[in-house]
Amino acid sequence: MKIIKDKRCIIGEGPIWNERDQKLYFTNGFGNEICIYDFDTERLETRYVKEGCAAFCFDTDNNLIVSRNDGVFILNDDNTTTPIYDTEIYNLKNCNDMKVGPDGAIYVGTLSSKTLETGNESDGKLYRIDKSGDVRIILDGLVTPNGMDWSIDESKFYYVGDQDNYLKEYDFDKKTGNVSYTGRFIKLPGVDGITIDKNNNILAACWGGPYIAKINTTDMTVEDTIIPPLCHPASCSFAGKNMDKLVVTTSSYMVNLRKSENSGFTFILEGIGEGRKPYLF
């Protein structure tokens, strides 16, 4: 196990492996920083972004795409943005977690007024953005859209969208991007970001645990728990040349660092399993 102590994040989120440049990206939420880690040199670079970002993905041209309060955009090297959809037609606000799906479309959740404390509505949404710039709602009535991933055979979609710590399973239609709830779920303490391994087990960051739960998707039960020392896990993802390193980002937000001295740091765990490479937009 390695702990990257070069940066204590307020909320470490969105870890994603970039196959093109062989580096790990994650965000320091509330800190307005993109963190880029090189496994070979063990060097961490940080890039300040005025608007901040909640999550990343990459397209087939290796453009960095960011999820922000004002929408989803390509972030250029000079910190200007390039739209991937018509912002005059589609007004996405308070975007949170985001991933590219097996169909090559971007899936991004938006926070509800209840989460933002600007109202009491469960009006968060999960949007699908395709390469043509079409944007449509896949799920509605969400509270705090967070972790998402797809089964290894790409027939199931797993999503954390409720305030009540539920991770739900949906059937996934790769042709349309539509999802339908299977009725299967698991409730976990403070479940946040998730990833899936090649054996179709879900790894879920539970900062209310605090631990990483390994979930057997055959029966949606916790098979094991992984406990990085003295931290509050916020998200997790596989990374590295062989996709065999589990990266765990953590949160120091409103945490007593005397009791959780590693909160905010990023962990690299080995021997946990292997994941697949991220899909590209």
Side-chain angles (χ1 to χ4, degrees), residues 70-140:
D70 55 350
V72 177
F73 307 94
I74 292 173
L75 183 67
N76 303 310
D77 290 340
D78 62 357
N79 281 351
T80 59
T81 57
T82 301
I84 60 172
Y85 54 85
D86 190 331
T87 55
E88 296 292 324
I89 298 175
Y90 306 110
N91 185 27
L92 275 64
K93 296 294 184 184
N94 305 308
C95 296
N96 198 40
D97 210 352
M98 170 181 71
K99 279 185 181 177
V100 178
D103 54 350
I106 288 174
Y107 292 78
V108 60
T110 57
L111 299 173
S112 68
S113 63
K114 183 182 290 187
T115 297
L116 296 168
E117 298 182 348
T118 58
N120 198 39
E121 300 297 320
S122 299
D123 52 2
K125 297 174 177 60
L126 177 68
Y127 289 92
R128 179 183 184 270
I129 307 169
D130 68 20
K131 289 286 279 190
S132 71
D134 180 63
V135 180
R136 60 188 178 88
I137 298 170
I138 298 298
L139 290 173
D140 204 346

Side-chain angles (χ1 to χ4, degrees), residues 6-272:
D6 305 71
K7 171 61 61 176
R8 188 191 294 276
C9 295
I10 301 172
I11 301 180
E13 288 279 12
I16 184 171
W17 175 247
N18 185 324
E19 178 69 14
R20 188 78 65 90
D21 67 14
Q22 296 284 295
K23 292 179 180 178
L24 169 72
Y25 287 67
F26 58 97
T27 179
N28 178 14
F30 295 168
N32 291 17
E33 290 177 308
I34 297 171
C35 302
I36 307 168
Y37 183 74
D38 188 318
F39 285 114
D40 292 332
T41 63
E42 297 187 343
R43 289 187 58 188
L44 180 75
E45 301 175 21
T46 57
R47 173 181 172 184
Y48 178 76
V49 281
K50 184 178 180 181
E51 299 299 328
C53 49
F56 314 113
C57 63
F58 294 91
D59 67 12
T60 53
D61 295 320
N62 203 39
N63 290 307
L64 175 64
I65 299 173
V66 295
S67 165
R68 316 193 311 185
N69 284 335
D70 55 350
V72 177
F73 307 94
I74 292 173
L75 183 67
N76 303 310
D77 290 340
D78 62 357
N79 281 351
T80 59
T81 57
T82 301
I84 60 172
Y85 54 85
D86 190 331
T87 55
E88 296 292 324
I89 298 175
Y90 306 110
N91 185 27
L92 275 64
K93 296 294 184 184
N94 305 308
C95 296
N96 198 40
D97 210 352
M98 170 181 71
K99 279 185 181 177
V100 178
D103 54 350
I106 288 174
Y107 292 78
V108 60
T110 57
L111 299 173
S112 68
S113 63
K114 183 182 290 187
T115 297
L116 296 168
E117 298 182 348
T118 58
N120 198 39
E121 300 297 320
S122 299
D123 52 2
K125 297 174 177 60
L126 177 68
Y127 289 92
R128 179 183 184 270
I129 307 169
D130 68 20
K131 289 286 279 190
S132 71
D134 180 63
V135 180
R136 60 188 178 88
I137 298 170
I138 298 298
L139 290 173
D140 204 346
L142 306 175
V143 179
T144 309
N146 267 317
M148 69 185 87
D149 213 336
W150 288 260
S151 61
I152 293 300
D153 68 2
E154 301 177 345
S155 68
K156 295 290 188 289
F157 175 63
Y158 298 98
Y159 196 53
V160 179
D162 293 331
Q163 192 177 36
D164 297 324
N165 302 320
Y166 285 101
L167 167 60
K168 293 182 176 180
E169 179 190 74
Y170 297 80
D171 286 321
F172 177 71
D173 186 331
K174 190 174 177 179
K175 291 183 180 179
T176 64
N178 292 336
V179 301
S180 56
Y181 183 40
T182 66
R184 301 206 315 156
F185 67 90
I186 185 169
K187 188 172 184 178
L188 297 161
V191 62
D192 198 335
I194 67 172
T195 191
I196 201 158
D197 70 16
K198 287 187 175 180
N199 293 321
N200 218 44
N201 298 305
I202 298 171
L203 285 300
C206 303
W207 65 347
Y211 51 71
I212 304 294
K214 184 177 181 180
I215 301 160
N216 186 330
T217 57
T218 302
D219 56 8
M220 295 298 282
T221 59
V222 175
E223 185 175 279
D224 195 8
T225 55
I226 303 158
I227 307 176
L230 301 173
C231 71
H232 285 260
S235 191
C236 57
S237 178
F238 286 99
K241 294 177 181 178
N242 299 315
M243 298 300 290
D244 58 355
K245 302 178 190 300
L246 183 68
V247 176
V248 179
T249 54
T250 71
S251 172
S252 63
Y253 181 65
M254 298 181 69
V255 170
N256 184 341
L257 295 179
R258 292 182 179 179
K259 295 181 179 180
S260 299
E261 62 185 34
N262 289 324
S263 285
F265 295 140
T266 299
F267 291 72
I268 301 173
L269 308 177
E270 299 192 57
I272 306 299

